[in-house]
Amino acid sequence: MADQSTENKENDSFMLKVATFIVDRRNLFFLLFGIAIIFSVISMNWVSVENSMSAYLPHSTETRQGLERMEEQFITYGSAQVMVTNIPYQEAEKIADRLEALDTVIMLSFDNTEKHYNNFSALYDVTFGYEETDERALEALDQVKEMLSDYDIYVSTSMGDASAEQIASEMQVISVLVAVVVVTVLLLTSQTWAEVPVLLLTFIAAALITKGTNFFMGTISFVSNSVTIVLQLALSIDYAVIFCNRYKEEHQSLPIREADIMALSKAIPEISSSSLTTIGGLIAMMFMQFGIGSDMALCLIRAILLSLLAVFLLMPGLIMLFGNAMDKTHHKSFIPKIPFVGKFAYRTRYVMPLLFLLLIIGAYIVSSKCPYVYGYSMLETPVQSDAMIVDEMIKESFGSSNMVAMIVPAGSYEKEKLLLRDLDARPEVDYTMGLANTEAMDGYMLTDKLTAREFSELLELDYEVAEVLYMTYAVNDENYAKIVNGLSTYSVPLIDIFMFLYDEVTEGYVTLDDEMMETLEDAHSQMQIALDQLQGGEYSRMLVYLNLPEEGEETFAFLDEMHQMAGQYYEDATILIPGEATSQYDLYKTFQTDNTVVNVVSILAVLVVLLFTFMSAGMPVLLILIIQGAIWINFSFPAIQQKNLFFMSYLIVSSIQMGANIDYAIVISGRFMELKDKMSKRDAIIETMNFAFPTIVTSGSMLALAGIFIGMMSSDGAICGIGQCLGRGTIISIVIVMFVLPQILLLGEKIIDKTSFAVSIPLKLERVSGLMRIDGMVQGQINGTIIGEVHGLVRGDASLFVNMGRLEQREDDGSSLENLLQREGDGENEKQ
């Protein structure tokens, strides 16, 4: 007992020294935080944001490999779909001519089919002469918009960051609303008006530094960039609230400085322990194959750690600054006592656990049928972005397009031709586009083989010139047999001989008249564009437009069939089919693993923290069952409503809900276990719920409302889903820990005690009479029963267990206790 007491005293002494240093060196920490905030305001502009989901797919996925190969082998030109409404067809043709005449437009698709003209609306597929990442492509698009400014036009393009800008704008509005909610909640739950600015300044500092340190990660996802600050507020504000409440409790008997130091020494281990469950839940996201999970986990964990630093290092100094104001602005608490909840729990302790068990079994079955989707095409959001509105208008008039690219080894135009023919024959395929089925002129495809005579007739070129050209090509191709055996039957793909002729003319080996030169240059320009997009040094690309939705079992099955079809012509070769449909197929496959991993890791991480928190095997299992049940109930709603849910929303929210919402259950469980042996079970649960309600309503309402606002006001399917599920899940968790957990604790507290593995150290019963000094946690009798933390002198009879601290017998000279206490205080001052 003496060893444990000594160890506790040493720990307490160390924490007091740390707390004293922080409080007394507060100006140093003000300076450090001021520098960090100024740096963060500047550095937050250095952060690079990735707006593509596919960038976070594992490197082993087909989409990631396909995108990397396309970037290496091909050029993707900037393009846009331009819809002009309320015009007759004749006017649409004139607009097409004007667009085609622009120097920046290298390709225009428009005809009188329903794919391009329908319901007095025209749809132009415009390709610009710059890569899609080139700023000049956006400038060219602006030129088109300006030229058509007199018409009703709608533009759909993947160029630029219009969607990212809209998300950022939405999150700014959401952040303001959440800030209003936070201030309102803090005002309603505070006991002094002046504590509100202390809490807000602490959080603002943490939020700014979090935003500014994002650049250390290099690039973060648009999801993390959008929701980290809002979730940081909702997840970590209760750390500041816990410290503030500790201070107010200590300040009842101690002056401001001493109360600040004592509160901080007690709050550091308490808050650090509380944060571990949240961090444990977030760590689970780092095990996802889908990289956005790891990206978001790192952002949120860093945000929570920075919030802890702000609470531990900045807030004590702010309390010293606002301490007098806090003393002068006390007001009546607006949070009522809720004894009816505890009474209800005691009366229904045999009923609610059984009903809850039946409920979560049903919720598990229903939630397993949740309709997950892996792309945005099948998602509905309460708010639609401008881009979504335009895409919907185009879809209504001209239908949707689902394009995938097929990348095969280059070198055989014949194989490409046969493969394209096979694909075009399938009902799942609308049409295909490749070098082998793209018309060059007069019915010839780009890869059709022509003899010298056919080529001369096609271009109206002298046969002798064509013959010399073919001979030179054969020599260049090291095909000497054709020269020996005669060139009459020697045929060369049209695109190859055309490009060779252009090179010969450019180098001055062949001379053509002006008219022929103009024809050659026009043809070369179009063929070069085709080559840039469809043929690389080692691979060829074919575009396949499907008559299938972007995702679904039929689509995923046909993607597998496409691999089999290509495999007939390219044995043992790696065939890649990147596209939106493939991306969603890859996400579907990663979800099957990520779902299991995230659930298991989040439960294990939280379980470990709870085991060491409660030193019991029964309590962690009980609390995890409560929150896991809330998660199952949460994701039963989309299943019942048959409302599609983006898969990532489930993975992220289930981790956050497990890590953050379990804190509410810990508050109730910890308090009840403290009180259950000191009073009747009925009184203990009533007192527990009265104690826990302010904490739960403060942090719970913030997290729930933050989620609701994100869900109601974001146009992005992933972010919207996170908000909706987080808001709903937090409310469900609050209801369950308030109206189900108390009954389970009442019914299972004996099981919890029996599964405890805390080491029981025998306590020595101290019997003392006369004058004594008591410092520490004691339990027993002093001419009556006492339990609690005592610091003072006692004259009388005492029979006490000293749980922590010391009890010393003193010599009694008969002086009054007031004089003896004053004498001790003077002695302590002389030592200092």
Side-chain angles (χ1 to χ4, degrees):
M1 177 66 210
D3 290 342
Q4 185 190 40
S5 176
T6 301
E7 184 180 342
N8 287 331
K9 286 169 65 178
E10 289 176 354
N11 289 337
D12 292 344
S13 176
F14 173 74
M15 291 310 304
L16 281 171
K17 288 179 181 177
V18 171
T20 302
F21 176 82
I22 293 172
V23 172
D24 290 344
R25 299 292 188 275
R26 56 188 176 275
N27 289 333
L28 170 63
F29 291 109
F30 286 155
L31 175 63
L32 292 176
F33 270 87
I35 294 172
I37 289 170
I38 293 171
F39 173 79
S40 297
V41 170
I42 298 170
S43 64
M44 65 177 62
N45 296 317
W46 304 344
V47 180
S48 176
V49 179
E50 175 58 66
N51 296 308
S52 172
M53 287 252 185
S54 59
Y56 291 93
L57 283 166
H59 285 279
S60 59
T61 58
E62 184 176 4
T63 299
R64 190 69 179 272
Q65 292 180 23
L67 291 174
E68 290 173 355
R69 186 164 295 175
M70 287 198 298
E71 189 173 346
E72 294 170 1
Q73 297 280 320
F74 312 105
I75 294 176
T76 301
Y77 290 104
S79 62
Q81 286 188 311
V82 180
M83 184 171 78
V84 183
T85 60
N86 303 316
I87 56 171
Y89 182 73
Q90 292 76 11
E91 186 69 20
E93 283 186 313
K94 292 179 183 178
I95 292 174
D97 293 337
R98 292 174 63 191
L99 288 172
E100 209 161 16
L102 291 173
D103 294 337
T104 53
V105 174
I106 59 173
M107 193 180 299
L108 181 76
S109 296
F110 177 76
D111 53 39
N112 60 358
T113 64
E114 288 190 356
K115 290 181 180 179
H116 290 284
Y117 186 82
N118 190 30
N119 295 329
F120 293 98
S121 296
L123 182 65
Y124 305 94
D125 293 316
V126 185
T127 303
F128 302 102
Y130 311 102
E131 293 189 48
E132 63 178 354
T133 55
D134 194 325
E135 284 295 322
R136 290 176 296 178
L138 286 173
E139 293 172 4
L141 179 59
D142 290 337
Q143 183 184 5
V144 169
K145 291 178 180 177
E146 185 177 350
M147 188 182 80
L148 302 178
S149 58
D150 293 336
Y151 297 92
D152 296 327
I153 66 167
Y154 303 91
V155 178
S156 174
T157 182
S158 59
M159 298 188 301
D161 296 320
S163 60
E165 292 170 3
Q166 178 141 356
I167 291 172
S169 175
E170 292 167 354
M171 292 310 300
Q172 287 176 358
V173 175
I174 292 170
S175 298
V176 170
L177 289 174
V178 170
V180 172
V181 168
V182 168
V183 173
T184 303
V185 171
L186 290 178
L187 287 172
L188 292 175
T189 57
S190 66
Q191 295 175 329
T192 68
W193 300 121
E195 73 185 62
V196 175
V198 172
L199 298 173
L200 291 177
L201 287 172
T202 302
F203 175 75
I204 290 170
L208 288 174
I209 296 173
T210 298
K211 194 82 172 171
T213 53
N214 280 337
F215 87 95
F216 287 125
M217 294 180 64
T219 300
I220 63 172
S221 70
F222 71 97
V223 179
S224 301
N225 188 56
S226 299
V227 302
T228 295
I229 298 302
V230 175
L231 292 183
Q232 178 186 11
L233 170 60
L235 291 171
S236 61
I237 191 69
D238 51 339
Y239 304 152
V241 171
I242 290 172
F243 177 36
C244 188
N245 290 340
R246 271 287 184 189
Y247 164 75
K248 289 182 289 187
E249 185 180 321
E250 297 293 337
H251 189 41
Q252 292 177 2
S253 57
L254 295 172
I256 293 174
R257 175 181 174 274
E258 287 71 17
D260 198 4
I261 293 171
M262 186 62 67
L264 182 59
S265 68
K266 294 177 180 178
I268 289 175
E270 180 182 354
I271 294 172
S272 299
S273 175
S274 173
S275 68
L276 287 178
T277 54
T278 304
I279 292 173
L282 295 174
I283 285 174
M285 292 196 295
M286 297 179 66
F287 288 82
M288 289 169 56
Q289 296 180 73
F290 188 42
I292 281 186
S294 178
D295 179 85
M296 193 166 180
L298 289 172
C299 285
L300 285 174
I301 289 172
R302 177 164 44 83
I304 288 172
L305 292 177
L306 289 170
S307 295
L308 289 174
L309 285 177
V311 170
F312 296 156
L313 302 179
L314 177 63
M315 190 171 169
L318 293 175
I319 287 177
M320 293 296 294
L321 284 179
F322 287 85
N324 291 326
M326 290 171 68
D327 291 342
K328 296 174 183 177
T329 56
H330 275 278
H331 64 82
K332 183 179 178 182
S333 174
F334 298 107
I335 302 298
K337 298 289 185 181
I338 52 168
F340 65 91
V341 175
K343 293 175 182 177
F344 171 79
Y346 190 77
R347 285 197 301 267
T348 59
R349 62 189 183 279
Y350 297 113
V351 178
M352 290 301 291
L354 179 61
L355 292 177
F356 179 68
L357 181 62
L358 295 174
L359 176 62
I360 63 172
I361 291 173
Y364 170 75
I365 296 171
V366 174
S367 64
S368 65
K369 296 178 172 52
C370 187
Y372 299 113
V373 295
Y374 307 91
Y376 285 5
S377 62
M378 299 175 69
L379 288 175
E380 294 181 5
T381 55
V383 177
Q384 284 193 311
S385 66
D386 294 340
M388 293 168 67
I389 294 171
V390 170
D391 289 342
E392 187 63 31
M393 292 177 66
I394 293 175
K395 182 179 178 180
E396 286 180 3
S397 296
F398 302 100
S400 58
S401 175
N402 180 13
M403 186 270 286
V404 295
M406 178 177 280
I407 302 173
V408 299
S412 177
Y413 292 142
E414 189 62 30
K415 288 182 179 179
E416 291 179 33
K417 182 177 182 179
L418 293 172
L419 179 54
L420 288 168
R421 182 198 63 190
D422 292 349
L423 288 168
D424 279 322
R426 293 296 300 262
E428 296 91 345
V429 175
D430 186 10
Y431 66 97
T432 61
M433 184 184 299
L435 289 178
N437 66 355
T438 299
E439 185 177 352
M441 54 180 66
D442 293 349
Y444 285 109
M445 301 299 160
L446 285 172
T447 61
D448 284 352
K449 290 186 174 183
L450 278 70
T451 63
R453 183 164 298 282
E454 290 170 332
F455 185 69
S456 67
E457 292 173 354
L458 177 66
L459 285 188
E460 298 180 356
L461 185 69
D462 287 342
Y463 176 67
E464 289 77 12
V465 175
E467 201 170 31
V468 171
L469 179 68
Y470 267 63
M471 185 180 298
T472 309
Y473 183 89
V475 171
N476 191 67
D477 198 36
E478 297 182 355
N479 199 341
Y480 304 110
K482 292 297 181 183
I483 301 174
V484 174
N485 297 327
L487 293 171
S488 60
T489 59
Y490 182 37
S491 59
V492 179
L494 174 60
I495 191 169
D496 292 348
I497 195 65
F498 231 113
M499 302 304 287
F500 182 73
L501 173 60
Y502 182 82
D503 291 340
E504 293 293 295
V505 171
T506 304
E507 292 174 11
Y509 298 123
V510 176
T511 304
L512 300 176
D513 59 42
D514 292 342
E515 184 179 350
M516 182 67 68
M517 193 63 198
E518 185 178 350
T519 302
L520 179 64
E521 286 181 345
D522 289 343
H524 172 268
S525 176
Q526 295 302 314
M527 289 182 183
Q528 188 61 54
I529 291 169
L531 285 172
D532 289 342
Q533 297 184 89
L534 300 174
Q535 188 176 71
E538 301 171 17
Y539 296 92
S540 292
R541 175 166 64 173
M542 292 171 275
L543 306 182
V544 183
Y545 292 82
L546 303 177
N547 291 318
L548 296 169
E550 287 185 352
E551 67 175 281
E553 291 183 7
E554 187 181 2
T555 303
F556 297 159
F558 186 67
L559 290 174
D560 290 335
E561 279 194 64
M562 288 176 66
H563 277 282
Q564 295 172 9
M565 294 169 68
Q568 295 175 1
Y569 299 102
Y570 300 93
E571 296 180 6
D572 302 324
T574 301
I575 308 299
L576 298 174
I577 309 178
E580 191 61 39
T582 307
S583 173
Q584 293 173 28
Y585 192 17
D586 286 334
L587 291 172
Y588 164 77
K589 287 184 282 190
T590 61
F591 177 65
Q592 308 310 306
T593 303
D594 286 347
N595 186 20
T596 303
V597 170
V598 168
N599 285 331
V600 171
V601 174
S602 63
I603 289 173
L604 288 178
V606 173
L607 181 64
V608 169
V609 175
L610 294 179
L611 280 172
F612 288 99
T613 300
F614 289 101
M615 305 298 284
S616 165
M619 180 66 86
V621 172
L622 186 151
L623 297 186
I624 286 176
L625 181 64
I626 288 287
I627 300 302
Q628 187 59 57
I631 293 172
W632 288 332
I633 295 170
N634 185 16
F635 290 99
S636 295
F637 280 80
I640 293 170
Q641 298 169 341
Q642 281 301 296
K643 183 178 179 182
N644 292 333
L645 177 67
F646 194 58
F647 80 103
M648 189 179 70
S649 303
Y650 167 77
L651 293 174
I652 291 174
V653 171
S654 61
S655 297
I656 294 175
Q657 195 174 347
M658 176 59 73
N661 291 176
I662 204 162
D663 283 348
Y664 313 149
I666 291 173
V667 171
I668 293 174
S669 303
R671 189 67 171 182
F672 176 74
M673 297 307 289
E674 286 180 19
L675 298 177
K676 69 183 181 66
D677 295 325
K678 303 173 185 178
M679 57 187 73
S680 70
K681 302 294 186 293
R682 180 178 181 276
D683 291 341
I685 201 65
I686 292 173
E687 179 60 30
T688 294
M689 301 313 295
N690 284 333
F691 167 82
F693 182 62
T695 301
I696 294 173
V697 77
T698 302
S699 60
S701 60
M702 290 180 189
L703 186 57
L705 288 170
I708 290 170
F709 284 139
I710 292 172
M712 290 175 58
M713 302 182 66
S714 176
S715 60
D716 182 85
I719 296 172
C720 174
I722 290 171
Q724 290 175 340
C725 295
L726 187 60
R728 183 177 61 238
T730 302
I731 293 171
I732 291 170
S733 296
I734 292 172
V735 171
I736 289 176
V737 298
M738 292 290 292
F739 295 99
V740 178
L741 177 60
Q743 290 88 327
I744 293 177
L745 289 173
L746 286 167
L747 203 62
E749 52 101 7
K750 291 183 179 178
I751 297 175
I752 295 169
D753 287 340
K754 287 181 179 180
T755 57
S756 173
F757 53 83
V759 178
S760 298
I761 301 176
L763 300 178
K764 182 181 177 183
L765 181 64
E766 304 277 356
R767 289 188 174 87
V768 182
S769 295
L771 182 65
M772 67 202 80
R773 172 76 192 193
I774 304 174
D775 289 284
M777 179 66 73
V778 299
Q779 181 176 351
Q781 293 182 333
I782 304 179
N783 285 334
T785 302
I786 183 173
I787 180 171
E789 189 171 345
V790 179
H791 297 279
L793 294 172
V794 174
R795 178 181 280 138
D797 299 320
S799 180
L800 301 170
F801 288 104
V802 182
N803 296 321
M804 184 175 67
R806 61 195 173 97
L807 187 155
E808 298 176 352
Q809 180 91 42
R810 298 291 176 86
E811 292 185 7
D812 191 353
D813 60 4
S815 301
S816 68
L817 288 178
E818 289 81 4
N819 290 335
L820 290 171
L821 194 60
Q822 179 66 41
R823 206 180 300 163
E824 284 202 1
D826 293 341
E828 288 293 324
N829 290 333
E830 287 178 6
K831 289 179 183 179
Q832 294 177 358

